Amino acid sequence: PVNRLSLTASYDAYYYGMRSSNYGLRQNSFTYDLMLMCNLNLKHRWSASCNCFLFKQIPEPWSSNNAIPIYSMSVYKGFMKGDLNVGLVLKFPFSKYTKLINNTVKDNFAESQVNYMTAFAVGVNVSYTLRSKKQVKIKRDNIIGNDDINTGVK
C-alpha cells in the first residue's frame, strides 16, 4: 500500500549567550529552524510536494537579524516502476527576492544592513534509484542446540 499524504514537521531551537569583558560584549540570542513538509502521492506515479522552512541564524556580535523564510513546490512523475523520477521544482514561486536584515548597535554607532537575495528559481530534478531486480529469499535455521561440547545453530 502507498500512503497518499505525508506530513512532516520539525523544530530546533537554541539559546546563545556571548560574553567578552575585554570588548564590553554581553549579548543573548535565540536561533531556530522550523520545517514543514507536505507530500501527496497521486495515481500513475505522480506526486506533489510543498516545503516551508523558517531559519534564524546566529547573529554577529552586537547584531541582530531576522528569520529567513524558504519555501518551494514540486511535481514529480515516476517512470520505470518508480526507479526513475523526473520533477519540476519551483523555489519561492511567489516572490523574486528574499530579504535578510542585519542590525548592529554599539555605543558610538548604529548600522542597519538589508540584503536582497535572488529567491525565485525553476529547476528540473532527475533521480534514478539503483537496485537489484532479483529478490533473494533468506533462509534461516531456527534450531539452536546447546550442550557442553557443541553449541550454536544446527
Side-chain angles (χ1 to χ4, degrees), residues 51-76:
N51 303 313
C52 301
F53 304 95
L54 191 60
F55 173 70
K56 186 163 186 328
Q57 65 185 16
I58 302 170
E60 294 292 323
W62 296 286
S63 299
S64 64
N65 54 21
N66 66 319
I68 302 170
I70 302 168
Y71 55 95
S72 66
M73 297 175 170
S74 58
V75 177
Y76 285 90

mmCIF file with all atom_site columns, all heavy atoms in Angstrom, residues 51-76:
data_model
loop_
_atom_site.group_PDB
_atom_site.id
_atom_site.type_symbol
_atom_site.label_atom_id
_atom_site.label_alt_id
_atom_site.label_comp_id
_atom_site.label_asym_id
_atom_site.label_entity_id
_atom_site.label_seq_id
_atom_site.pdbx_PDB_ins_code
_atom_site.Cartn_x
_atom_site.Cartn_y
_atom_site.Cartn_z
_atom_site.occupancy
_atom_site.B_iso_or_equiv
_atom_site.pdbx_formal_charge
_atom_site.auth_seq_id
_atom_site.auth_comp_id
_atom_site.auth_asym_id
_atom_site.auth_atom_id
_atom_site.pdbx_PDB_model_num
ATOM 1   N N   . ASN A 1 51 ? 7.188  22.501 0.547   1.00 0.00 ? 51 ASN A N   1
ATOM 2   C CA  . ASN A 1 51 ? 8.122  22.561 1.672   1.00 0.00 ? 51 ASN A CA  1
ATOM 3   C C   . ASN A 1 51 ? 8.260  23.995 2.136   1.00 0.00 ? 51 ASN A C   1
ATOM 4   O O   . ASN A 1 51 ? 8.426  24.899 1.314   1.00 0.00 ? 51 ASN A O   1
ATOM 5   C CB  . ASN A 1 51 ? 9.497  22.032 1.260   1.00 0.00 ? 51 ASN A CB  1
ATOM 6   C CG  . ASN A 1 51 ? 9.429  20.628 0.726   1.00 0.00 ? 51 ASN A CG  1
ATOM 7   O OD1 . ASN A 1 51 ? 8.804  19.781 1.320   1.00 0.00 ? 51 ASN A OD1 1
ATOM 8   N ND2 . ASN A 1 51 ? 10.064 20.389 -0.405  1.00 0.00 ? 51 ASN A ND2 1
ATOM 9   N N   . CYS A 1 52 ? 8.210  24.187 3.441   1.00 0.00 ? 52 CYS A N   1
ATOM 10  C CA  . CYS A 1 52 ? 8.381  25.521 4.026   1.00 0.00 ? 52 CYS A CA  1
ATOM 11  C C   . CYS A 1 52 ? 9.401  25.429 5.157   1.00 0.00 ? 52 CYS A C   1
ATOM 12  O O   . CYS A 1 52 ? 9.321  24.532 5.998   1.00 0.00 ? 52 CYS A O   1
ATOM 13  C CB  . CYS A 1 52 ? 7.070  26.049 4.586   1.00 0.00 ? 52 CYS A CB  1
ATOM 14  S SG  . CYS A 1 52 ? 5.771  26.180 3.372   1.00 0.00 ? 52 CYS A SG  1
ATOM 15  N N   . PHE A 1 53 ? 10.345 26.355 5.155   1.00 0.00 ? 53 PHE A N   1
ATOM 16  C CA  . PHE A 1 53 ? 11.362 26.415 6.200   1.00 0.00 ? 53 PHE A CA  1
ATOM 17  C C   . PHE A 1 53 ? 11.438 27.845 6.727   1.00 0.00 ? 53 PHE A C   1
ATOM 18  O O   . PHE A 1 53 ? 11.285 28.800 5.962   1.00 0.00 ? 53 PHE A O   1
ATOM 19  C CB  . PHE A 1 53 ? 12.739 26.020 5.652   1.00 0.00 ? 53 PHE A CB  1
ATOM 20  C CG  . PHE A 1 53 ? 12.777 24.676 5.008   1.00 0.00 ? 53 PHE A CG  1
ATOM 21  C CD1 . PHE A 1 53 ? 12.620 24.539 3.646   1.00 0.00 ? 53 PHE A CD1 1
ATOM 22  C CD2 . PHE A 1 53 ? 12.967 23.531 5.776   1.00 0.00 ? 53 PHE A CD2 1
ATOM 23  C CE1 . PHE A 1 53 ? 12.659 23.298 3.042   1.00 0.00 ? 53 PHE A CE1 1
ATOM 24  C CE2 . PHE A 1 53 ? 12.996 22.286 5.176   1.00 0.00 ? 53 PHE A CE2 1
ATOM 25  C CZ  . PHE A 1 53 ? 12.842 22.167 3.815   1.00 0.00 ? 53 PHE A CZ  1
ATOM 26  N N   . LEU A 1 54 ? 11.699 27.979 7.995   1.00 0.00 ? 54 LEU A N   1
ATOM 27  C CA  . LEU A 1 54 ? 11.952 29.284 8.598   1.00 0.00 ? 54 LEU A CA  1
ATOM 28  C C   . LEU A 1 54 ? 13.239 29.130 9.390   1.00 0.00 ? 54 LEU A C   1
ATOM 29  O O   . LEU A 1 54 ? 13.334 28.288 10.292  1.00 0.00 ? 54 LEU A O   1
ATOM 30  C CB  . LEU A 1 54 ? 10.789 29.696 9.501   1.00 0.00 ? 54 LEU A CB  1
ATOM 31  C CG  . LEU A 1 54 ? 10.794 31.125 9.993   1.00 0.00 ? 54 LEU A CG  1
ATOM 32  C CD1 . LEU A 1 54 ? 10.751 32.106 8.816   1.00 0.00 ? 54 LEU A CD1 1
ATOM 33  C CD2 . LEU A 1 54 ? 9.635  31.376 10.917  1.00 0.00 ? 54 LEU A CD2 1
ATOM 34  N N   . PHE A 1 55 ? 14.246 29.926 9.034   1.00 0.00 ? 55 PHE A N   1
ATOM 35  C CA  . PHE A 1 55 ? 15.588 29.760 9.577   1.00 0.00 ? 55 PHE A CA  1
ATOM 36  C C   . PHE A 1 55 ? 16.067 31.078 10.166  1.00 0.00 ? 55 PHE A C   1
ATOM 37  O O   . PHE A 1 55 ? 16.053 32.104 9.501   1.00 0.00 ? 55 PHE A O   1
ATOM 38  C CB  . PHE A 1 55 ? 16.524 29.308 8.451   1.00 0.00 ? 55 PHE A CB  1
ATOM 39  C CG  . PHE A 1 55 ? 17.971 29.260 8.832   1.00 0.00 ? 55 PHE A CG  1
ATOM 40  C CD1 . PHE A 1 55 ? 18.444 28.300 9.704   1.00 0.00 ? 55 PHE A CD1 1
ATOM 41  C CD2 . PHE A 1 55 ? 18.859 30.175 8.313   1.00 0.00 ? 55 PHE A CD2 1
ATOM 42  C CE1 . PHE A 1 55 ? 19.779 28.257 10.055  1.00 0.00 ? 55 PHE A CE1 1
ATOM 43  C CE2 . PHE A 1 55 ? 20.202 30.143 8.653   1.00 0.00 ? 55 PHE A CE2 1
ATOM 44  C CZ  . PHE A 1 55 ? 20.654 29.174 9.524   1.00 0.00 ? 55 PHE A CZ  1
ATOM 45  N N   . LYS A 1 56 ? 16.465 31.051 11.433  1.00 0.00 ? 56 LYS A N   1
ATOM 46  C CA  . LYS A 1 56 ? 17.047 32.232 12.082  1.00 0.00 ? 56 LYS A CA  1
ATOM 47  C C   . LYS A 1 56 ? 18.444 31.855 12.534  1.00 0.00 ? 56 LYS A C   1
ATOM 48  O O   . LYS A 1 56 ? 18.623 30.975 13.359  1.00 0.00 ? 56 LYS A O   1
ATOM 49  C CB  . LYS A 1 56 ? 16.224 32.688 13.264  1.00 0.00 ? 56 LYS A CB  1
ATOM 50  C CG  . LYS A 1 56 ? 16.740 33.984 13.858  1.00 0.00 ? 56 LYS A CG  1
ATOM 51  C CD  . LYS A 1 56 ? 15.721 34.637 14.738  1.00 0.00 ? 56 LYS A CD  1
ATOM 52  C CE  . LYS A 1 56 ? 16.101 35.989 15.249  1.00 0.00 ? 56 LYS A CE  1
ATOM 53  N NZ  . LYS A 1 56 ? 17.455 36.290 15.493  1.00 0.00 ? 56 LYS A NZ  1
ATOM 54  N N   . GLN A 1 57 ? 19.437 32.517 11.933  1.00 0.00 ? 57 GLN A N   1
ATOM 55  C CA  . GLN A 1 57 ? 20.827 32.162 12.209  1.00 0.00 ? 57 GLN A CA  1
ATOM 56  C C   . GLN A 1 57 ? 21.391 32.938 13.395  1.00 0.00 ? 57 GLN A C   1
ATOM 57  O O   . GLN A 1 57 ? 20.793 33.890 13.870  1.00 0.00 ? 57 GLN A O   1
ATOM 58  C CB  . GLN A 1 57 ? 21.679 32.407 10.971  1.00 0.00 ? 57 GLN A CB  1
ATOM 59  C CG  . GLN A 1 57 ? 21.782 33.865 10.574  1.00 0.00 ? 57 GLN A CG  1
ATOM 60  C CD  . GLN A 1 57 ? 22.542 34.043 9.275   1.00 0.00 ? 57 GLN A CD  1
ATOM 61  O OE1 . GLN A 1 57 ? 22.732 33.100 8.534   1.00 0.00 ? 57 GLN A OE1 1
ATOM 62  N NE2 . GLN A 1 57 ? 22.967 35.239 9.000   1.00 0.00 ? 57 GLN A NE2 1
ATOM 63  N N   . ILE A 1 58 ? 22.581 32.531 13.826  1.00 0.00 ? 58 ILE A N   1
ATOM 64  C CA  . ILE A 1 58 ? 23.272 33.205 14.927  1.00 0.00 ? 58 ILE A CA  1
ATOM 65  C C   . ILE A 1 58 ? 23.752 34.567 14.426  1.00 0.00 ? 58 ILE A C   1
ATOM 66  O O   . ILE A 1 58 ? 24.422 34.648 13.396  1.00 0.00 ? 58 ILE A O   1
ATOM 67  C CB  . ILE A 1 58 ? 24.484 32.383 15.401  1.00 0.00 ? 58 ILE A CB  1
ATOM 68  C CG1 . ILE A 1 58 ? 24.044 31.000 15.849  1.00 0.00 ? 58 ILE A CG1 1
ATOM 69  C CG2 . ILE A 1 58 ? 25.230 33.101 16.516  1.00 0.00 ? 58 ILE A CG2 1
ATOM 70  C CD1 . ILE A 1 58 ? 25.203 30.053 16.102  1.00 0.00 ? 58 ILE A CD1 1
ATOM 71  N N   . PRO A 1 59 ? 23.427 35.639 15.125  1.00 0.00 ? 59 PRO A N   1
ATOM 72  C CA  . PRO A 1 59 ? 23.882 36.958 14.673  1.00 0.00 ? 59 PRO A CA  1
ATOM 73  C C   . PRO A 1 59 ? 25.351 37.200 15.021  1.00 0.00 ? 59 PRO A C   1
ATOM 74  O O   . PRO A 1 59 ? 25.917 36.543 15.884  1.00 0.00 ? 59 PRO A O   1
ATOM 75  C CB  . PRO A 1 59 ? 22.974 37.923 15.432  1.00 0.00 ? 59 PRO A CB  1
ATOM 76  C CG  . PRO A 1 59 ? 22.613 37.184 16.673  1.00 0.00 ? 59 PRO A CG  1
ATOM 77  C CD  . PRO A 1 59 ? 22.563 35.727 16.296  1.00 0.00 ? 59 PRO A CD  1
ATOM 78  N N   . GLU A 1 60 ? 25.927 38.143 14.321  1.00 0.00 ? 60 GLU A N   1
ATOM 79  C CA  . GLU A 1 60 ? 27.280 38.590 14.639  1.00 0.00 ? 60 GLU A CA  1
ATOM 80  C C   . GLU A 1 60 ? 27.247 39.329 15.982  1.00 0.00 ? 60 GLU A C   1
ATOM 81  O O   . GLU A 1 60 ? 26.193 39.774 16.429  1.00 0.00 ? 60 GLU A O   1
ATOM 82  C CB  . GLU A 1 60 ? 27.774 39.551 13.550  1.00 0.00 ? 60 GLU A CB  1
ATOM 83  C CG  . GLU A 1 60 ? 27.944 38.899 12.197  1.00 0.00 ? 60 GLU A CG  1
ATOM 84  C CD  . GLU A 1 60 ? 29.073 37.887 12.173  1.00 0.00 ? 60 GLU A CD  1
ATOM 85  O OE1 . GLU A 1 60 ? 30.099 38.125 12.829  1.00 0.00 ? 60 GLU A OE1 1
ATOM 86  O OE2 . GLU A 1 60 ? 28.916 36.854 11.510  1.00 0.00 ? 60 GLU A OE2 1
ATOM 87  N N   . PRO A 1 61 ? 28.398 39.482 16.649  1.00 0.00 ? 61 PRO A N   1
ATOM 88  C CA  . PRO A 1 61 ? 28.411 40.238 17.911  1.00 0.00 ? 61 PRO A CA  1
ATOM 89  C C   . PRO A 1 61 ? 27.847 41.645 17.733  1.00 0.00 ? 61 PRO A C   1
ATOM 90  O O   . PRO A 1 61 ? 28.082 42.284 16.723  1.00 0.00 ? 61 PRO A O   1
ATOM 91  C CB  . PRO A 1 61 ? 29.897 40.282 18.279  1.00 0.00 ? 61 PRO A CB  1
ATOM 92  C CG  . PRO A 1 61 ? 30.472 39.056 17.625  1.00 0.00 ? 61 PRO A CG  1
ATOM 93  C CD  . PRO A 1 61 ? 29.695 38.889 16.346  1.00 0.00 ? 61 PRO A CD  1
ATOM 94  N N   . TRP A 1 62 ? 27.091 42.093 18.712  1.00 0.00 ? 62 TRP A N   1
ATOM 95  C CA  . TRP A 1 62 ? 26.415 43.393 18.764  1.00 0.00 ? 62 TRP A CA  1
ATOM 96  C C   . TRP A 1 62 ? 25.317 43.531 17.700  1.00 0.00 ? 62 TRP A C   1
ATOM 97  O O   . TRP A 1 62 ? 24.864 44.605 17.405  1.00 0.00 ? 62 TRP A O   1
ATOM 98  C CB  . TRP A 1 62 ? 27.396 44.565 18.615  1.00 0.00 ? 62 TRP A CB  1
ATOM 99  C CG  . TRP A 1 62 ? 28.388 44.662 19.723  1.00 0.00 ? 62 TRP A CG  1
ATOM 100 C CD1 . TRP A 1 62 ? 28.155 45.098 20.990  1.00 0.00 ? 62 TRP A CD1 1
ATOM 101 C CD2 . TRP A 1 62 ? 29.751 44.285 19.670  1.00 0.00 ? 62 TRP A CD2 1
ATOM 102 N NE1 . TRP A 1 62 ? 29.296 45.014 21.727  1.00 0.00 ? 62 TRP A NE1 1
ATOM 103 C CE2 . TRP A 1 62 ? 30.305 44.523 20.937  1.00 0.00 ? 62 TRP A CE2 1
ATOM 104 C CE3 . TRP A 1 62 ? 30.570 43.774 18.672  1.00 0.00 ? 62 TRP A CE3 1
ATOM 105 C CZ2 . TRP A 1 62 ? 31.620 44.269 21.245  1.00 0.00 ? 62 TRP A CZ2 1
ATOM 106 C CZ3 . TRP A 1 62 ? 31.878 43.517 18.974  1.00 0.00 ? 62 TRP A CZ3 1
ATOM 107 C CH2 . TRP A 1 62 ? 32.400 43.772 20.246  1.00 0.00 ? 62 TRP A CH2 1
ATOM 108 N N   . SER A 1 63 ? 24.907 42.415 17.093  1.00 0.00 ? 63 SER A N   1
ATOM 109 C CA  . SER A 1 63 ? 23.947 42.491 15.990  1.00 0.00 ? 63 SER A CA  1
ATOM 110 C C   . SER A 1 63 ? 22.717 41.646 16.268  1.00 0.00 ? 63 SER A C   1
ATOM 111 O O   . SER A 1 63 ? 22.698 40.795 17.143  1.00 0.00 ? 63 SER A O   1
ATOM 112 C CB  . SER A 1 63 ? 24.586 41.997 14.689  1.00 0.00 ? 63 SER A CB  1
ATOM 113 O OG  . SER A 1 63 ? 25.687 42.783 14.339  1.00 0.00 ? 63 SER A OG  1
ATOM 114 N N   . SER A 1 64 ? 21.702 41.894 15.466  1.00 0.00 ? 64 SER A N   1
ATOM 115 C CA  . SER A 1 64 ? 20.505 41.061 15.446  1.00 0.00 ? 64 SER A CA  1
ATOM 116 C C   . SER A 1 64 ? 20.108 40.878 13.988  1.00 0.00 ? 64 SER A C   1
ATOM 117 O O   . SER A 1 64 ? 20.453 41.692 13.131  1.00 0.00 ? 64 SER A O   1
ATOM 118 C CB  . SER A 1 64 ? 19.372 41.716 16.243  1.00 0.00 ? 64 SER A CB  1
ATOM 119 O OG  . SER A 1 64 ? 18.985 42.924 15.634  1.00 0.00 ? 64 SER A OG  1
ATOM 120 N N   . ASN A 1 65 ? 19.406 39.816 13.701  1.00 0.00 ? 65 ASN A N   1
ATOM 121 C CA  . ASN A 1 65 ? 18.963 39.590 12.327  1.00 0.00 ? 65 ASN A CA  1
ATOM 122 C C   . ASN A 1 65 ? 17.580 38.974 12.315  1.00 0.00 ? 65 ASN A C   1
ATOM 123 O O   . ASN A 1 65 ? 17.088 38.490 13.333  1.00 0.00 ? 65 ASN A O   1
ATOM 124 C CB  . ASN A 1 65 ? 19.971 38.738 11.549  1.00 0.00 ? 65 ASN A CB  1
ATOM 125 C CG  . ASN A 1 65 ? 20.299 37.445 12.245  1.00 0.00 ? 65 ASN A CG  1
ATOM 126 O OD1 . ASN A 1 65 ? 19.548 36.974 13.080  1.00 0.00 ? 65 ASN A OD1 1
ATOM 127 N ND2 . ASN A 1 65 ? 21.430 36.862 11.923  1.00 0.00 ? 65 ASN A ND2 1
ATOM 128 N N   . ASN A 1 66 ? 16.963 38.984 11.137  1.00 0.00 ? 66 ASN A N   1
ATOM 129 C CA  . ASN A 1 66 ? 15.624 38.434 11.006  1.00 0.00 ? 66 ASN A CA  1
ATOM 130 C C   . ASN A 1 66 ? 15.668 36.973 10.592  1.00 0.00 ? 66 ASN A C   1
ATOM 131 O O   . ASN A 1 66 ? 16.698 36.457 10.169  1.00 0.00 ? 66 ASN A O   1
ATOM 132 C CB  . ASN A 1 66 ? 14.826 39.243 9.971   1.00 0.00 ? 66 ASN A CB  1
ATOM 133 C CG  . ASN A 1 66 ? 15.392 39.110 8.568   1.00 0.00 ? 66 ASN A CG  1
ATOM 134 O OD1 . ASN A 1 66 ? 16.600 39.117 8.364   1.00 0.00 ? 66 ASN A OD1 1
ATOM 135 N ND2 . ASN A 1 66 ? 14.517 38.990 7.597   1.00 0.00 ? 66 ASN A ND2 1
ATOM 136 N N   . ALA A 1 67 ? 14.537 36.314 10.692  1.00 0.00 ? 67 ALA A N   1
ATOM 137 C CA  . ALA A 1 67 ? 14.417 34.939 10.215  1.00 0.00 ? 67 ALA A CA  1
ATOM 138 C C   . ALA A 1 67 ? 14.218 34.955 8.703   1.00 0.00 ? 67 ALA A C   1
ATOM 139 O O   . ALA A 1 67 ? 13.599 35.861 8.150   1.00 0.00 ? 67 ALA A O   1
ATOM 140 C CB  . ALA A 1 67 ? 13.244 34.260 10.901  1.00 0.00 ? 67 ALA A CB  1
ATOM 141 N N   . ILE A 1 68 ? 14.748 33.957 8.043   1.00 0.00 ? 68 ILE A N   1
ATOM 142 C CA  . ILE A 1 68 ? 14.652 33.863 6.584   1.00 0.00 ? 68 ILE A CA  1
ATOM 143 C C   . ILE A 1 68 ? 13.649 32.760 6.235   1.00 0.00 ? 68 ILE A C   1
ATOM 144 O O   . ILE A 1 68 ? 13.860 31.600 6.592   1.00 0.00 ? 68 ILE A O   1
ATOM 145 C CB  . ILE A 1 68 ? 16.019 33.525 5.966   1.00 0.00 ? 68 ILE A CB  1
ATOM 146 C CG1 . ILE A 1 68 ? 17.054 34.575 6.337   1.00 0.00 ? 68 ILE A CG1 1
ATOM 147 C CG2 . ILE A 1 68 ? 15.905 33.386 4.459   1.00 0.00 ? 68 ILE A CG2 1
ATOM 148 C CD1 . ILE A 1 68 ? 18.462 34.184 5.959   1.00 0.00 ? 68 ILE A CD1 1
ATOM 149 N N   . PRO A 1 69 ? 12.570 33.106 5.531   1.00 0.00 ? 69 PRO A N   1
ATOM 150 C CA  . PRO A 1 69 ? 11.653 32.053 5.083   1.00 0.00 ? 69 PRO A CA  1
ATOM 151 C C   . PRO A 1 69 ? 12.137 31.448 3.764   1.00 0.00 ? 69 PRO A C   1
ATOM 152 O O   . PRO A 1 69 ? 12.646 32.143 2.895   1.00 0.00 ? 69 PRO A O   1
ATOM 153 C CB  . PRO A 1 69 ? 10.339 32.804 4.884   1.00 0.00 ? 69 PRO A CB  1
ATOM 154 C CG  . PRO A 1 69 ? 10.760 34.191 4.529   1.00 0.00 ? 69 PRO A CG  1
ATOM 155 C CD  . PRO A 1 69 ? 12.064 34.438 5.250   1.00 0.00 ? 69 PRO A CD  1
ATOM 156 N N   . ILE A 1 70 ? 11.995 30.150 3.636   1.00 0.00 ? 70 ILE A N   1
ATOM 157 C CA  . ILE A 1 70 ? 12.357 29.439 2.410   1.00 0.00 ? 70 ILE A CA  1
ATOM 158 C C   . ILE A 1 70 ? 11.196 28.505 2.094   1.00 0.00 ? 70 ILE A C   1
ATOM 159 O O   . ILE A 1 70 ? 10.746 27.762 2.962   1.00 0.00 ? 70 ILE A O   1
ATOM 160 C CB  . ILE A 1 70 ? 13.651 28.621 2.603   1.00 0.00 ? 70 ILE A CB  1
ATOM 161 C CG1 . ILE A 1 70 ? 14.802 29.531 3.034   1.00 0.00 ? 70 ILE A CG1 1
ATOM 162 C CG2 . ILE A 1 70 ? 14.003 27.855 1.342   1.00 0.00 ? 70 ILE A CG2 1
ATOM 163 C CD1 . ILE A 1 70 ? 16.023 28.785 3.522   1.00 0.00 ? 70 ILE A CD1 1
ATOM 164 N N   . TYR A 1 71 ? 10.701 28.547 0.869   1.00 0.00 ? 71 TYR A N   1
ATOM 165 C CA  . TYR A 1 71 ? 9.619  27.646 0.507   1.00 0.00 ? 71 TYR A CA  1
ATOM 166 C C   . TYR A 1 71 ? 9.744  27.221 -0.948  1.00 0.00 ? 71 TYR A C   1
ATOM 167 O O   . TYR A 1 71 ? 10.331 27.912 -1.769  1.00 0.00 ? 71 TYR A O   1
ATOM 168 C CB  . TYR A 1 71 ? 8.246  28.267 0.786   1.00 0.00 ? 71 TYR A CB  1
ATOM 169 C CG  . TYR A 1 71 ? 7.997  29.597 0.142   1.00 0.00 ? 71 TYR A CG  1
ATOM 170 C CD1 . TYR A 1 71 ? 7.337  29.673 -1.083  1.00 0.00 ? 71 TYR A CD1 1
ATOM 171 C CD2 . TYR A 1 71 ? 8.404  30.781 0.751   1.00 0.00 ? 71 TYR A CD2 1
ATOM 172 C CE1 . TYR A 1 71 ? 7.102  30.890 -1.682  1.00 0.00 ? 71 TYR A CE1 1
ATOM 173 C CE2 . TYR A 1 71 ? 8.174  32.000 0.156   1.00 0.00 ? 71 TYR A CE2 1
ATOM 174 C CZ  . TYR A 1 71 ? 7.513  32.048 -1.058  1.00 0.00 ? 71 TYR A CZ  1
ATOM 175 O OH  . TYR A 1 71 ? 7.291  33.247 -1.659  1.00 0.00 ? 71 TYR A OH  1
ATOM 176 N N   . SER A 1 72 ? 9.189  26.038 -1.233  1.00 0.00 ? 72 SER A N   1
ATOM 177 C CA  . SER A 1 72 ? 9.251  25.502 -2.587  1.00 0.00 ? 72 SER A CA  1
ATOM 178 C C   . SER A 1 72 ? 8.063  24.587 -2.838  1.00 0.00 ? 72 SER A C   1
ATOM 179 O O   . SER A 1 72 ? 7.438  24.080 -1.906  1.00 0.00 ? 72 SER A O   1
ATOM 180 C CB  . SER A 1 72 ? 10.565 24.748 -2.814  1.00 0.00 ? 72 SER A CB  1
ATOM 181 O OG  . SER A 1 72 ? 10.604 23.599 -2.006  1.00 0.00 ? 72 SER A OG  1
ATOM 182 N N   . MET A 1 73 ? 7.794  24.379 -4.119  1.00 0.00 ? 73 MET A N   1
ATOM 183 C CA  . MET A 1 73 ? 6.741  23.469 -4.562  1.00 0.00 ? 73 MET A CA  1
ATOM 184 C C   . MET A 1 73 ? 7.322  22.594 -5.665  1.00 0.00 ? 73 MET A C   1
ATOM 185 O O   . MET A 1 73 ? 8.173  23.052 -6.428  1.00 0.00 ? 73 MET A O   1
ATOM 186 C CB  . MET A 1 73 ? 5.555  24.238 -5.119  1.00 0.00 ? 73 MET A CB  1
ATOM 187 C CG  . MET A 1 73 ? 4.876  25.121 -4.144  1.00 0.00 ? 73 MET A CG  1
ATOM 188 S SD  . MET A 1 73 ? 3.608  26.069 -4.983  1.00 0.00 ? 73 MET A SD  1
ATOM 189 C CE  . MET A 1 73 ? 2.790  26.792 -3.593  1.00 0.00 ? 73 MET A CE  1
ATOM 190 N N   . SER A 1 74 ? 6.856  21.370 -5.754  1.00 0.00 ? 74 SER A N   1
ATOM 191 C CA  . SER A 1 74 ? 7.372  20.493 -6.803  1.00 0.00 ? 74 SER A CA  1
ATOM 192 C C   . SER A 1 74 ? 6.314  19.486 -7.236  1.00 0.00 ? 74 SER A C   1
ATOM 193 O O   . SER A 1 74 ? 5.409  19.147 -6.477  1.00 0.00 ? 74 SER A O   1
ATOM 194 C CB  . SER A 1 74 ? 8.635  19.764 -6.338  1.00 0.00 ? 74 SER A CB  1
ATOM 195 O OG  . SER A 1 74 ? 8.362  19.023 -5.172  1.00 0.00 ? 74 SER A OG  1
ATOM 196 N N   . VAL A 1 75 ? 6.463  19.038 -8.480  1.00 0.00 ? 75 VAL A N   1
ATOM 197 C CA  . VAL A 1 75 ? 5.616  17.995 -9.060  1.00 0.00 ? 75 VAL A CA  1
ATOM 198 C C   . VAL A 1 75 ? 6.547  16.964 -9.683  1.00 0.00 ? 75 VAL A C   1
ATOM 199 O O   . VAL A 1 75 ? 7.488  17.336 -10.396 1.00 0.00 ? 75 VAL A O   1
ATOM 200 C CB  . VAL A 1 75 ? 4.663  18.576 -10.133 1.00 0.00 ? 75 VAL A CB  1
ATOM 201 C CG1 . VAL A 1 75 ? 3.842  17.473 -10.771 1.00 0.00 ? 75 VAL A CG1 1
ATOM 202 C CG2 . VAL A 1 75 ? 3.758  19.638 -9.542  1.00 0.00 ? 75 VAL A CG2 1
ATOM 203 N N   . TYR A 1 76 ? 6.306  15.685 -9.389  1.00 0.00 ? 76 TYR A N   1
ATOM 204 C CA  . TYR A 1 76 ? 7.159  14.604 -9.880  1.00 0.00 ? 76 TYR A CA  1
ATOM 205 C C   . TYR A 1 76 ? 6.340  13.551 -10.608 1.00 0.00 ? 76 TYR A C   1
ATOM 206 O O   . TYR A 1 76 ? 5.177  13.323 -10.277 1.00 0.00 ? 76 TYR A O   1
ATOM 207 C CB  . TYR A 1 76 ? 7.894  13.914 -8.719  1.00 0.00 ? 76 TYR A CB  1
ATOM 208 C CG  . TYR A 1 76 ? 9.017  14.722 -8.167  1.00 0.00 ? 76 TYR A CG  1
ATOM 209 C CD1 . TYR A 1 76 ? 8.819  15.622 -7.140  1.00 0.00 ? 76 TYR A CD1 1
ATOM 210 C CD2 . TYR A 1 76 ? 10.308 14.580 -8.674  1.00 0.00 ? 76 TYR A CD2 1
ATOM 211 C CE1 . TYR A 1 76 ? 9.858  16.365 -6.629  1.00 0.00 ? 76 TYR A CE1 1
ATOM 212 C CE2 . TYR A 1 76 ? 11.353 15.324 -8.167  1.00 0.00 ? 76 TYR A CE2 1
ATOM 213 C CZ  . TYR A 1 76 ? 11.116 16.213 -7.149  1.00 0.00 ? 76 TYR A CZ  1
ATOM 214 O OH  . TYR A 1 76 ? 12.154 16.950 -6.654  1.00 0.00 ? 76 TYR A OH  1
#
